[in-house]
Amino acid sequence: MSEAVVLREQEGRVAVLTINRPSKLNALNQQVRDEMLEHLNAIESDDSVGAVVITGAGEKSFVAGADIQEFEGRSPFDQREAMSFPRIFDVMASFPKPVIAMINGFCLGGGCEMAMSCDMRIASDRARLGQPEIKLGLIPGGGGTQRLPRLVGVGNAMRLILTGDMIPAAEAKDMGLVDMVIPADELRAQTLELANKIAAQSPLTLRVAKEAVRASERLAIEEGILYERDLFCLCFSTEDKKEGVDAFLNKRAPEWKNR
Ligand code: COA
């Protein structure tokens, strides 16, 4: 058995998945994708987990992209097979629990695409982000040409994708590619605090909230608002809505049932 390349830890109600190939700057190879899928499958039905944090091992890199070594000698059909369903980034985007990218260093190519598939991106002040595929004679293939312009606008996305330049975390925050920038030595503590705060909410309601926000990526505003209304009303069928409202009215903390 080869050594695990994705490690799982539990911090309160948060599962931390660490991509563990630091000597290759945590580049994504097939083994990483397979193990990530296995962990997410297990976490999906694990009631002790309310939210997931994804990060990279070591101090230097979150994920420095797809493993370029695997591209060598591949035919277009081999590559297409390697990119067949289920695709890990899409699994993360539609995962029924919140997924947070804790970006501890280089966040490039497939690493940036992985982070963009998460629900939030929290970066260390030492992180550097970019889509350098153009320098390999390639374009982003993990959703980068679609998710990046939605986050940062077409002009910023064009600049990053057409130059392949890396940008520091502060600039990524200014353009909306990351949501928070935190000093490197506080990144884990602050990210876990936020993740546990989220994970303390009703799992059922978190799931519906995420589904509603994700819908904004594909629906026109009118349809999105109607869809939100239906999901809002669906919440009226849950015990957790009854519990949350009752707890507020009786000035006590709610105890979620996940029903
Ligand atoms: N795929 C495979 N291996 C990678 C990799 C990737 N995407 N990124 C880094 N590595 C490997 C390097 O080959 C090197 O391995 P080696 O020690 O066996 O030679 C090791 O990780 C360390 O990387 P190195 O380039 O020596 O570190 P650096 O600090 O000089 O440079 C980067 C860091 C991120 C600028 C540089 O590694 C880089 O440009 N990586 C590729 C980024 C990329 O194009 N990603 C998109 C892929 S589609």
Side-chain angles (χ1 to χ4, degrees), residues 19-31:
I19 297 166
N20 185 35
R21 298 183 75 211
S23 67
K24 295 291 175 190
L25 303 186
N26 305 319
L28 297 177
N29 62 7
Q30 194 55 47
Q31 192 186 348

Side-chain angles (χ1 to χ4, degrees), residues 49 58 68 169:
V49 177
I68 299 169

Side-chain angles (χ1 to χ4, degrees), residues 1-2 5 8 19 32 71-72 92 95 112 115 121 129 137 145 154 197 205 215-216 218-220 227-228 238 240 252:
M1 278 263 297
S2 55
V5 291
R8 176 178 168 182
I19 297 166
V32 172
F71 291 163
E72 236 197 357
M92 287 162 58
F95 197 65
C112 193
R121 285 152 291 286
L129 297 92
T145 63
V154 169
K197 185 182 203 178
T205 320
S216 74
R218 60 172 197 277
L219 297 180
Y227 187 52
E228 179 198 75
T238 70
D240 283 349
R252 63 176 178 85

Side-chain angles (χ1 to χ4, degrees), residues 23-25 27 60 64-69 71 106 108-110 132-133 136 138 166:
S23 67
K24 295 291 175 190
L25 303 186
K60 197 170 165 184
D67 190 321
I68 299 169
Q69 215 138 32
F71 291 163
F106 287 120
L108 303 173
E133 292 88 345
L136 301 168
L138 284 167
M166 283 191 253

